[in-house]
Amino acid sequence: METLDQFDTNIIKELEKDGRMAYSTIAANLKISNTMVHQRVNRLIEQGILLGIKPVINEKKIGYDWGAFTGITLNKDQDSNRIIEELKKIPEITECYYISGLYTLYIKIIARNHEHMRKVLYEKIDNIPGISKTDSIMELGCAFKRNVTL
């Protein structure tokens, strides 16, 4: 497990405020050198702690009004890697997790409307060989979403 020191933590907190913030601004805010910020961010990316700096898209603002959380039951759990590769090809699936309990996989789907959601579920996901059942819960809105506290 990688450990974060106070400099790493503070740099990440600055990036959480605005991922587009210039390294020179972060350096000035934290009273450290610009070079130190560059080196630390590069190291955090190399270690896999920072997975990248990406835009956070408000799906509703671009016409994706429907969301669902779907549990997937497989015919054979050992087929999960192959099925995950097929799920990756469906752009409406934004997250996929291995879980314990009733299902093998749990996914998040976004869609423009109920007809689009039906097509994703019935014409894309259900046609993947090895999936025996899906069980969806419709999302009514996100109360909050955040990173773990550092």
Side-chain angles (χ1 to χ4, degrees):
M1 182 172 115
E2 306 296 335
T3 58
L4 300 176
D5 64 16
Q6 197 59 45
F7 291 112
D8 295 329
T9 301
N10 289 336
I11 290 167
I12 291 170
K13 285 180 179 180
E14 289 293 309
L15 288 170
E16 282 184 317
K17 292 177 194 173
D18 179 1
R20 299 175 303 163
M21 187 180 298
Y23 290 171
S24 58
T25 304
I26 294 170
N29 291 348
L30 300 178
K31 298 178 179 33
I32 59 177
S33 74
N34 194 21
T35 302
M36 184 177 188
V37 174
H38 277 277
Q39 290 172 342
R40 293 291 182 121
V41 169
N42 287 337
R43 184 177 49 78
L44 291 167
I45 290 170
E46 288 169 12
Q47 291 175 335
I49 294 170
L50 284 179
L51 297 178
I53 300 169
K54 306 173 190 175
V56 178
I57 298 171
N58 181 339
E59 292 131 355
K60 302 232 184 276
K61 294 276 187 181
I62 60 170
Y64 287 83
D65 289 331
W66 280 62
F69 297 95
T70 300
I72 299 176
T73 304
L74 305 181
N75 292 331
K76 296 182 209 170
D77 286 349
Q78 61 264 33
D79 287 343
S80 61
N81 288 336
R82 179 187 54 78
I83 290 168
I84 289 167
E85 289 307 311
E86 292 300 314
L87 293 170
K88 285 179 181 179
K89 297 175 184 176
I90 302 171
E92 294 89 350
I93 298 174
T94 59
E95 299 174 48
C96 180
Y97 299 92
Y98 294 104
I99 61 167
S100 62
L102 296 175
Y103 312 109
T104 304
L105 302 171
Y106 208 67
I107 60 173
K108 169 93 187 272
I109 307 167
I110 62 162
R112 290 184 292 280
N113 52 46
H114 74 278
E115 181 62 18
H116 184 200
M117 182 66 72
R118 186 194 65 73
K119 286 181 178 181
V120 171
L121 286 167
Y122 296 160
E123 296 175 15
K124 294 182 179 183
I125 295 171
D126 283 352
N127 284 327
I128 297 173
I131 292 180
S132 67
K133 181 181 141 192
T134 61
D135 186 16
S136 296
I137 301 167
M138 292 304 140
E139 172 210 328
L140 299 176
C142 180
F144 68 89
K145 188 175 180 178
R146 63 181 172 205
N147 288 328
V148 66
T149 302
L150 297 178

